Amino acid sequence: MFDADQYKALYQRILGPNSETVTLQVNNGTGFDPYEVKAHVDNYRAQDLVEGGSIKLGDLRLIVDADTVPEGLRRLEAKDRIEVRGRVYGVVYWDDMSRSVGSTVVAYEATVRG
């Protein structure tokens, strides 16, 4: 069984070299607060889609390094945005549970649409 530090090291070794800087744009009610984070960005493929599901061809999957997300920022919602390679995407899904070890979040998985 992995502990949180081993899991983080695994993510850094596998995803780190393929990560890029993206900007979380958190809606503050009158505008957006930007936070630069590291994320692995990938396209969904046709075989990833489930008929009637919320993910569509053209959506992006991001695996965001939790160590680069500001402390206290655990959730993003549909009102928030993520900028990837100069293009702004809407948040479809933000998962802070499936890439955790106990209460330690190792990475967030996000689906964005633009």
Side-chain angles (χ1 to χ4, degrees), residues 44 54-56 59-62 82 89-95 109-113:
Y44 284 102
S54 62
I55 298 170
K56 298 181 180 181
D59 289 351
L60 297 179
R61 174 188 359 229
L62 281 66
I82 300 179
Y89 293 84
V91 175
V92 175
Y93 180 69
W94 181 265
D95 177 10
E109 185 165 339
T111 299
V112 297
R113 181 173 296 147

Side-chain angles (χ1 to χ4, degrees), residues 77-96:
E77 301 173 359
K79 64 181 180 174
D80 302 315
R81 306 284 178 254
I82 300 179
E83 184 177 335
V84 179
R85 300 174 190 148
R87 185 171 176 191
V88 178
Y89 293 84
V91 175
V92 175
Y93 180 69
W94 181 265
D95 177 10
D96 64 348

Side-chain angles (χ1 to χ4, degrees), residues 21-96:
T21 301
V22 301
T23 305
L24 307 181
Q25 297 180 358
V26 180
N27 189 315
N28 64 23
T30 59
F32 293 92
D33 295 325
Y35 302 97
E36 287 189 347
V37 299
K38 297 299 269 183
H40 174 73
V41 180
D42 194 17
N43 291 308
Y44 284 102
R45 292 165 192 76
Q47 61 266 29
D48 298 326
L49 305 180
V50 175
E51 189 173 334
S54 62
I55 298 170
K56 298 181 180 181
L57 206 55
D59 289 351
L60 297 179
R61 174 188 359 229
L62 281 66
I63 301 175
V64 180
D65 181 352
D67 286 342
T68 64
V69 175
E71 193 170 325
L73 180 62
R74 184 137 178 176
R75 298 273 328 142
L76 262 66
E77 301 173 359
K79 64 181 180 174
D80 302 315
R81 306 284 178 254
I82 300 179
E83 184 177 335
V84 179
R85 300 174 190 148
R87 185 171 176 191
V88 178
Y89 293 84
V91 175
V92 175
Y93 180 69
W94 181 265
D95 177 10
D96 64 348

